[in-house]
Amino acid sequence: MTIGSTSTPEGWAEGMCADEFRETSARVADWIADYRSRVADFPVTPDVKPGEIAALLPSTAPEQPESMDAILADLEDTILPGLTHWSHPGFMAYFASSASAPGILAEFVAAALNVNAMLWRTSPAATELELRVVDWICNFVGLPDTFSGVILDTASTSTFTALTAARHKAVPAVRERGLAGRAELGPLTVYISEHAHSSQDRAVIAAGIGLDHLRHVPADKDHAVRPDELARLIQADREAGCIPVMVSGTIGTTSSTAVDPCQELAAICEQEDIWFHVDAAYAGPAASLPELRQEFLGWERADSIVLNPHKWMFTPMDCSILVYRNPAAIRAAMALTPEYLASDFEAPDLMDYGLALGRRFRALKLWFIFRHFGAEGLRRRFRYHIGLAQELVSWLETDPRFELVGRARFATVCLTAVPPAGEDPYEWNRRLMAAVNGHREVLLSHTVLDGRYVIRVSIGNESVRKETVRRAYELLCDEHDQMCAKGIEA
Ligand code: PLP
């Protein structure tokens, strides 16, 4: 017996039949292949003003069905001109996020399968593949096999989730009694570097801890957090009756890719019995390179670690790995099974490892990517990017117009231009980056470190090549020289 009929209920417009789907998806695949080969020909950023794209879109959804031809034409004519092309080789802003071919194909398949691995039984293969590829990643980056975990959407969600586990460990009965109105509890405190990513501040807001109780621990001249300052702050907080909940160290900070001393942070956390989280959202995949392992010393002592394949591992958004040394800790904090989700199987239900019940089949893209590139192919690409970053460093080092800021230990280079005497370096660099980005050939982003406006060149895109990095350098040089000739114009 077969269940289901392909006939359309009366009154409905015809849906997409199998033949039409086959034909249209082949056209979409062609479109994607073309997009990938012409992406470098687009300006990396669009020339649009806020609201311009919205003005081209109808204010309500169409009442009647429209053809795929019309939809694809609008994709090309209306949407594409309003995009920043993250897969453009010249995209060197923030941290790269590039969609490799196997990742794109896996997303296509995942959408078609549309499984929801909330419980083991709602898709056994999706659950088991997810746990297996997370094990692959742990092994790839050299973490002990005691670590295991799940795939979430972003590092922001991962850090928040880790914080709920930390809070559960630190605060008795927090699941049942919450935090409010408990006179016996002092304020909960969380410790991060002054250079930590703002996702940690958000996690503190969302977990009900409050920004007033988030300690931004001072960093040293290399922008790495100071363990002595951390110990001092914890001590002072304990004396004031606070409950330290979590210390978070970063390997590869957003501004300068600085590395916090995780050995020392781990030792403090062990001594004080505080949850130790490591944010390696950007740099994590680079731990697969034996020559960079020293940057990661101590992370194996963390209670939880986040790393993002959707940054430097050619995985389309979204894909963030959150692993625990003891995954029972997050189950203790979050697991909850209403009757309608109860199951008789002795198997892990991934809904118990975070806030979300429903979950996308993200494991598929990591599986495709690992198998398509191979671990060695991934390492080769990381090394290529690091090599390009070192070339850029060598050009800047010998160029008196620029100063390097921090050490480019991964594939992100931070620099400032040296303005002529009398010019404000902050304003000079701000204008310089705007002028470079104004060409729309490359996209750089900035940060502020020690009060200085710093330009970041982040190399990590799958399609980036030496010519693009050289072009970014030339644009910096040319614009700097022109500004010197003209001075900063209002
Ligand atoms: N942590 C670090 C070090 C980051 O650089 C970023 C983003 O760039 C994040 C966390 C947040 O990442 P996500 O966008 O996945 O939440």
Side-chain angles (χ1 to χ4, degrees):
M1 189 189 86
T2 54
I3 299 178
S5 149
T6 51
S7 67
T8 307
E10 210 177 322
W12 288 11
E14 252 341 289
M16 196 182 280
C17 69
D19 284 346
E20 192 187 347
F21 182 81
R22 201 179 305 281
E23 188 268 323
T24 313
S25 56
R27 278 170 54 207
V28 170
D30 271 349
W31 187 91
I32 294 171
D34 285 348
Y35 173 72
R36 285 169 57 75
S37 47
R38 68 190 163 127
V39 65
D41 302 334
F42 290 107
V44 60
T45 45
D47 187 9
V48 290
K49 296 189 180 53
E52 213 173 301
I53 303 295
L56 301 174
L57 301 170
S59 54
T60 58
E63 207 46 60
Q64 297 304 323
E66 297 184 36
S67 69
M68 266 295 153
D69 284 342
I71 299 170
L72 293 176
D74 286 349
L75 171 66
E76 183 74 32
D77 300 339
T78 308
I79 304 300
L80 214 51
L83 295 181
T84 296
H85 297 284
W86 281 68
S87 291
H88 192 290
F91 187 102
M92 299 179 195
Y94 317 112
F95 286 128
S97 173
S98 47
S100 61
I104 296 168
L105 295 174
E107 285 284 34
F108 193 26
V109 177
L113 296 174
N114 195 34
V115 300
N116 182 344
M118 55 190 195
L119 308 175
W120 178 85
R121 77 173 150 88
T122 59
S123 220
T127 296
E128 295 186 12
L129 184 67
E130 179 160 337
L131 295 171
R132 182 51 52 95
V133 293
V134 172
D135 289 347
W136 282 8
I137 290 243
C138 288
N139 175 268
F140 181 56
V141 300
L143 284 171
D145 57 15
T146 41
F147 277 88
S148 63
V150 292
I151 308 177
L152 300 176
D153 55 358
T154 57
S156 306
T157 303
S158 294
T159 293
F160 167 72
T161 309
L163 182 54
T164 60
R167 192 184 57 173
H168 183 260
K169 174 184 159 172
V171 184
V174 69
R175 276 179 65 122
E176 294 72 28
R177 298 182 55 205
L179 297 172
R182 294 180 66 177
E184 82 282 12
L185 292 181
L188 311 189
T189 46
V190 170
Y191 306 80
I192 61 175
S193 161
E194 57 174 316
H195 298 292
H197 190 266
S198 58
S199 53
Q200 317 224 18
D201 304 50
R202 282 177 194 253
V204 161
I205 297 170
I209 288 171
L211 290 177
D212 286 353
H213 307 121
L214 175 63
R215 309 289 181 241
H216 287 101
V217 185
D220 63 18
K221 62 176 182 14
D222 295 324
H223 310 115
V225 80
R226 285 180 50 184
D228 58 330
E229 290 285 350
L230 173 67
R232 188 184 59 75
L233 283 166
I234 293 172
Q235 181 67 26
D237 280 338
R238 287 227 195 266
E239 280 164 18
C242 299
I243 305 177
V245 170
M246 182 167 103
V247 170
S248 177
T250 304
I251 300 180
T253 59
T254 313
S255 288
S256 68
T257 69
V259 171
D260 288 337
C262 287
Q263 293 278 37
E264 281 103 316
L265 302 190
I268 293 171
C269 290
E270 284 157 13
Q271 193 184 336
E272 296 281 341
D273 195 23
I274 302 173
W275 186 280
F276 180 35
H277 177 66
V278 169
D279 177 356
Y282 159 64
S288 62
L289 304 177
E291 65 273 27
L292 284 186
R293 276 284 160 78
Q294 79 279 359
E295 306 292 356
F296 294 82
L297 288 178
W299 78 331
E300 72 287 349
R301 292 161 72 181
D303 293 286
S304 52
I305 300 174
V306 56
L307 62 94
N308 274 8
H310 76 219
K311 294 198 194 303
W312 195 12
M313 217 176 112
F314 322 119
T315 309
M317 285 287 290
D318 48 7
C319 189
S320 177
I321 306 283
L322 176 61
V323 291
Y324 300 90
R325 194 149 43 89
N326 172 17
I330 183 63
R331 283 199 306 276
M334 294 301 272
L336 186 75
T337 308
E339 187 50 40
Y340 44 83
L341 295 176
S343 142
D344 292 334
F345 295 100
E346 279 297 311
D349 291 327
L350 298 186
M351 68 169 180
D352 289 342
Y353 292 78
L355 187 61
L357 171 62
R359 44 206 348 278
R360 305 202 314 111
F361 196 178
R362 297 190 186 92
L364 208 56
K365 51 190 168 184
L366 278 180
W367 192 53
F368 272 45
I369 283 169
F370 263 123
R371 297 187 62 187
H372 177 80
F373 292 117
E376 192 45 50
L378 293 169
R379 283 192 285 265
R380 197 170 297 137
R381 283 164 176 78
F382 302 148
R383 287 195 178 106
Y384 177 66
H385 293 156
I386 292 165
L388 290 181
Q390 286 313 314
E391 282 203 69
L392 176 58
V393 165
S394 68
W395 303 329
L396 292 164
E397 259 170 358
T398 51
D399 189 332
R401 292 170 290 189
F402 300 101
E403 269 174 23
L404 287 160
V405 180
R407 180 159 74 83
R409 36 166 77 74
F410 302 111
T412 299
V413 180
C414 296
L415 63 111
T416 55
V418 183
E423 298 285 4
D424 172 17
Y426 189 102
E427 191 53 16
W428 184 271
N429 278 280
R430 198 181 67 76
R431 297 277 182 109
L432 173 62
M433 195 182 80
V436 169
N437 286 345
H439 289 262
R440 304 187 196 283
E441 287 182 55
V442 300
L443 183 66
L444 311 181
S445 65
H446 81 285
T447 189
V448 174
L449 283 168
D450 310 319
R452 294 206 290 175
Y453 193 97
V454 172
I455 300 173
R456 297 165 69 264
V457 184
S458 187
I459 299 163
N461 217 299
E462 199 203 358
S463 59
V464 69
R465 297 290 177 269
K466 181 172 173 178
E467 304 81 77
T468 338
V469 179
R470 185 74 199 175
R471 184 67 189 138
Y473 171 64
E474 284 166 4
L475 285 169
L476 282 163
C477 296
D478 292 351
E479 288 299 337
H480 176 82
D481 291 348
Q482 281 189 38
M483 284 168 60
C484 286
K486 290 190 276 185
I488 295 185
E489 284 165 1

